[in-house]
Structure formats: C-alpha cells, structure tokens
Amino acid sequence: MYYIDAQTQDYILFFLGVLAFVIYGMSMFFIMVSHFGVFCHFYKKTNSLVLDDSLPGVSIIKPLMGIDPLLQENLESHFTLNYPKFELLLCVPDDQDPAIKLVLHLKEKYPDVDCKLFTGGKKGIINPMVYNMAPGYENAKYKYVWISTSRIKASTDIILDLVNKLQPPNVALVHQMPFTTDAKGFAATVEKIYFGCCLARYYVAFNMLGQCCATGMSYMFKKAMLDEVNGLIYYGKYLAEDYFLTSALHEKGHKLVVSAIPAQQNVAASSVKAYKDRMVRWLRLRLNMMPIVSGILEPLGDVFPLGIWIGWSFYHFFGISPYYVFTFHVVSMILLDYIQLRMVQNGPVLFSFAEFLAAWFFRELLTIIVYIEAILQPRTIEWGGRTYLVKYGGLTTIVDRSKKALS
Ligand SMILES: CCCCCCCC/C=C\CCCCCCCC(=O)N[C@@H](CO)[C@H](O)/C=C/CCCCCCCCCCCCC
Ligand SMILES: O=c1ccn([C@@H]2O[C@H](COP(=O)(O)OP(=O)(O)O[C@H]3OC[C@@H](O)[C@H](O)[C@H]3O)[C@@H](O)[C@H]2O)c(=O)[nH]1
C-alpha cells in the first residue's frame, strides 16, 4: 500500500488550505465586481435616440416551438414595439406547430406590422433553434438582427437600449443577462433566485472584466459582423451556438456589451423539475466547452462547498471554529445575494424574505443534485424532445430521431 509520510501530508494540507483562500478571494472579488456592475449599469438610461427614420432597422427573429399560456403576451410585446423600422421574423420548425395559429391571429390583429412566418427550418442543421431560425436569418433585411427566444417579453425601452449600445463601430453584439418576470409559486421564486443571485454573481463580473460571457436567449448584433465570422448557420453544428458565436466575435476583437435591462423570461409552465432539467442541460453544455471552469471551479465556488472548505481552512491555520466561519459565510452570501437580486429586479419582489430564504436554501442544495446528474452523463443532452450527443469541444450529433428528424 502507498504510504504518504507526515511531511508530505502537511504540504498537501497546507496547499489545500491556501487554495481555499485563493478560491474564496476570487469568488468574493467577482461577486463585488458584479454588485458594482449591476449598481452602476443596470436600468441606467443612457440612450438619447430620437425615434425617427434615421434609426437603424431591426430584424427580430423569434424561434417558436409549441405554445405556452404567456406566448401571446410575449409575441404581442414585439408587435406593439414603438420603434420606427422593424420586421418580425417568426419561425416554427414544422407546419403542424400549434404556434402557427397564434401567429396568424396576431398578423391579422396587427396588419401594419411587417411580420413574416417561416415554417420548416433549414435541413442539415443540428442545433434545433438555429435550424428553426435559419430561414428568418437568411431573409433578414435589416443590418441589426435581434434574436429573441420564445420565453422573452420585449419592450420599447429594451429595443432602444439594445440599438443604442450597438451603435459604436467596435460593438458587434449586445446581450441581455437572463432574468425573469414576476410569477407566483415556489418554482418561479427558485428560478428568479437562480438568475438574480447565482448567475448574476459571475455574469456581470466576467463581462466587466472583458471576458466573453453571453447567452443566446436575447441578443442583438450587427449582421455584417456575424457574417464575417461565418454567420449564424455555421454555429448550428454546436448545441451551444451562443457560446461559440460570441467567442468568435470576441476573439476577432469586437466588443460585446451587456444591456442595461435584464432579459424578461415570461413563461407560465414553471416547475422545479423543468428548472432542474434546464440547469442540467446548461451545465452539460458548459462541461463540454470549459471543463475546468465548470467541472471544478464552478462547484467549488458554490456557497455550501466553499463554506465548508474555507471553514476547514480557517480551523487548520488559525484554530477558529469551522461552524462560525461556515455560518458567517452563508449569512453573508444570503445578504449579498438578496441585495443583488433587488438591484436586478429594480423594484419589489413578489415573495417575502422568509420565502426567499426557503427557496435560496433549496436552490443551493439542488445545485448538488444538478452537478451529480450532469457529470454522470455529461455528453447527453435532451432538448425540445430530442436527445443529442455533444462531443468534447462542442460538436454535436442527434442520437434520438424519434421526433421528426432535423437533418
Ligand atoms: C473562484 C470561483 C470561480 C467560480 C467560477 C464560476 C464560473 C462560472 C461560469 C460561468 C458563469 C456564467 C454562466 C452564464 C451562462 C449560464 C447559462 C448557460 O450555461 N448557457 C449556455 C446555453 O445558453 C451557454 O451556451 C453558456 C455560456 C457560457 C458562457 C460562460 C463563459 C464564462 C467564461 C468565463 C471565463 C473566466 C473564468 C475565470 C474563472 C476563474
Ligand atoms: O427543439 C427546439 C428547442 C427550442 N427551440 C426554440 O429555441 C428557443 C430557446 O429554447 P429554450 O427556451 O428551450 O432554451 P434555453 O433558453 O434554455 O436555451 C438556451 O440554451 C441553449 C442555447 O442554444 C440557446 O442559445 C439558449 O437560449 C425557444 O425560442 C424555442 O422555441 C426550437 O426552435 N427547437
């Protein structure tokens, strides 16, 4: 049996103890930068745009698949935008999709809105969302393109902020940090806490520090600049098209900017299981794209693992009770998260502080299950009724063709 002598053991414990301080310091640094970023940047009106024909036209692509009780509200929020020049390019993957009926109804209700419906996607594209959006993208007539997924509720303030921030010549893309509208219920509270606390801890900081960190839920870009890096359809070979296309723009030296208004995901069918499955899907994507960051640093930076580790480290070096340190860490994280959430929300939340606490603890513990589920089968991703196999590096194949094949 291999024997580790006492001195080597001391070195290992010393290293682990110091590493806890390093990870803790980095985590706190990112959290502080994010707080600062949200405080200084979010909901600050910087646009001085005059609503006239000199504003660039915007092609809004909305991939749709199926319906949700709030889809009509989301679609109408696009039809009613007060913006001089825009077209709505609504896309459905096949001619049986239930969203078609709703789209036809809205086209009739708003005959003055320039709206086109594309059915059937573009064959040969693996990513189902890119497959669905491809005809819209190819037919977009304006220089600015806004991809706004079906969960997203739009507003005039949002389109103006996106357009305004996209104007400088070196800016290629403006993205919204994912967030949610207000909905009652435990699952909706858990979701809001994920986006307003956990995701916000790093999303804003990485962007402020010049890292490429964006999601494909709602983003506006200059079509010419995306076409310079092969165009949207090229990224349909990846399931995480957002990560790869934003990385390509970033590597080319173009600027990506966060909108001052977080994305308003507005869906009715929220459940804890749906939330957990989505977290597993996203984590599996990240594990394939950045295994060290998402497989090691991300879980170590979570509140409970980091609290246990830093508690042990304080005990190891200074003999301070790990229970005190752990409790201090958890309480300070709860307060920091609550402050952050209220800044991202920019107003009152629907739940009480006690409800926040219950959902916060539940979500932090659920993260452990999400991590285990994701890491056990990191390559298999279920999305939109199909199963995909993501190879290391991100290239993807469809393994379950039971639902109508895309290619
Ligand atoms: C010392 C503690 C360090 C903790 C590090 C935590 C790293 C967390 C990584 C990402 C957090 C932000 C994630 C936002 C996206 C989450 C949703 C998602 O997965 N979306 C996917 C599908 O839309 C999308 O394809 C993924 C996009 C990921 C972008 C993240 C890029 C982050 C790159 C940051 C690199 C700097 C890391 C430095 C760490 C020391
Ligand atoms: O099979 C599908 C699944 C989804 N979609 C559409 O794609 C959009 C996003 O779908 P979801 O809301 O399920 O996905 P998420 O918000 O979780 O997606 C996120 O993760 C995967 C990335 O590729 C996306 O860029 C990002 O938005 C929706 O508009 C949906 O209608 C399809 O067109 N086909």
Side-chain angles (χ1 to χ4, degrees):
M1 207 174 97
Y2 189 71
Y3 173 75
I4 302 175
D5 63 62
Q7 197 183 24
T8 311
Q9 276 183 32
D10 281 352
Y11 282 140
I12 292 173
L13 292 179
F14 178 81
F15 174 75
L16 290 176
V18 170
L19 195 60
F21 282 104
V22 172
I23 299 283
Y24 189 81
M26 283 167 64
S27 175
M28 285 303 142
F29 171 71
F30 290 138
I31 290 169
M32 290 306 158
V33 174
S34 269
H35 273 68
F36 180 74
V38 170
F39 179 75
C40 294
H41 182 71
F42 277 27
Y43 301 102
K44 299 284 180 292
K45 249 196 173 151
T46 50
N47 86 67
S48 47
L49 300 177
V50 182
L51 283 179
D52 63 22
D53 280 346
S54 65
L55 284 179
V58 179
S59 298
I60 306 175
I61 303 180
K62 218 158 168 71
L64 306 173
M65 194 178 87
I67 44 172
D68 171 274
L70 296 180
L71 184 62
Q72 173 153 2
E73 187 180 321
N74 292 350
L75 287 178
E76 282 203 89
S77 69
H78 293 72
F79 276 91
T80 53
L81 287 170
N82 180 16
Y83 189 80
K85 237 186 312 175
F86 73 94
E87 60 170 351
L88 284 182
L89 308 172
L90 308 178
C91 310
V92 288
D94 59 68
D95 56 14
Q96 299 303 311
D97 200 286
I100 293 176
K101 206 173 148 202
L102 177 58
V103 170
L104 295 178
H105 163 69
L106 291 174
K107 267 168 77 85
E108 215 175 281
K109 186 168 173 191
Y110 299 98
D112 295 338
V113 174
D114 181 1
C115 171
K116 292 183 193 76
L117 173 66
F118 296 93
T119 312
K122 184 178 165 121
K123 301 283 171 274
I125 300 175
I126 296 288
N127 181 313
M129 177 174 150
V130 179
Y131 168 94
N132 192 0
M133 294 189 297
Y137 184 79
E138 286 177 336
N139 286 285
K141 67 179 176 199
Y142 294 122
K143 287 181 182 168
Y144 286 13
V145 175
W146 179 9
I147 291 180
S148 164
T149 59
S150 56
R151 295 172 190 262
I152 298 297
K153 187 171 170 184
S155 71
T156 300
D157 279 346
I158 292 173
I159 193 170
L160 289 177
D161 187 62
L162 296 173
V163 168
N164 183 51
K165 290 197 164 55
L166 193 55
Q167 305 263 11
N170 60 341
V171 177
L173 182 146
V174 185
H175 52 106
Q176 291 188 276
M177 186 184 88
F179 195 50
T180 59
T181 54
D182 290 332
K184 285 214 167 97
F186 187 69
T189 306
V190 168
E191 271 201 323
K192 193 175 272 288
I193 289 174
Y194 169 70
F195 290 106
C197 300
C198 175
L199 182 132
R201 283 177 207 150
Y202 299 112
Y203 197 96
V204 182
F206 289 164
N207 276 285
M208 286 196 71
L209 298 169
Q211 299 297 313
C212 175
C213 180
T215 71
M217 202 175 282
S218 170
Y219 60 108
M220 190 184 285
F221 54 92
K222 288 176 185 142
K223 192 166 189 278
M225 282 186 169
L226 187 59
D227 286 340
E228 260 177 45
V229 291
N230 298 318
L232 176 71
I233 286 147
Y234 172 83
Y235 297 93
K237 61 185 176 178
Y238 304 110
L239 217 49
E241 83 297 337
D242 48 358
Y243 175 82
F244 289 97
L245 74 84
T246 51
S247 298
L249 289 168
H250 184 74
E251 273 156 32
K252 235 183 163 223
H254 298 311
K255 227 178 143 191
L256 313 181
V257 177
V258 188
S259 165
I261 308 176
Q264 303 298 308
Q265 294 175 77
N266 188 45
V267 284
S270 184
S271 73
V272 169
K273 180 168 182 326
Y275 163 78
K276 190 265 296 163
D277 290 346
R278 196 170 180 219
M279 292 299 109
V280 171
R281 168 160 62 85
W282 284 356
L283 181 54
R284 284 180 179 161
L285 286 179
R286 298 200 298 278
L287 285 170
N288 284 289
M289 296 173 315
M290 31 187 215
I292 308 286
V293 171
S294 291
I296 299 171
L297 288 176
E298 223 181 285
L300 288 180
D302 275 335
V303 176
F304 294 140
L306 189 56
I308 293 170
W309 195 13
I310 195 70
W312 167 81
S313 190
F314 264 99
Y315 177 71
H316 179 72
F317 287 120
F318 309 112
I320 298 173
S321 164
Y323 302 109
Y324 291 155
V325 176
F326 180 81
T327 308
F328 172 80
H329 170 65
V330 171
V331 171
S332 56
M333 281 307 301
I334 290 171
L335 294 177
L336 284 168
D337 272 356
Y338 192 71
I339 293 168
Q340 173 106 304
L341 175 68
R342 293 301 302 267
M343 288 194 292
V344 176
Q345 171 82 1
N346 197 33
V349 283
L350 281 189
F351 39 86
S352 66
F353 189 68
E355 286 166 325
F356 166 80
L357 278 183
W360 186 93
F361 273 100
F362 176 83
R363 202 211 66 79
E364 287 297 334
L365 291 170
L366 188 63
T367 305
I368 300 166
I369 294 169
V370 168
Y371 184 77
I372 294 170
E373 204 177 316
I375 208 106
L376 286 178
Q377 249 189 323
R379 303 271 149 86
T380 307
I381 293 188
E382 317 231 331
W383 190 26
R386 287 187 198 81
T387 307
Y388 300 86
L389 191 70
V390 180
K391 295 183 210 152
Y392 178 68
L395 283 175
T396 305
T397 50
I398 303 180
V399 283
D400 174 8
R401 292 175 182 271
S402 55
K403 213 169 169 192
K404 209 168 148 192
L406 297 177
S407 53

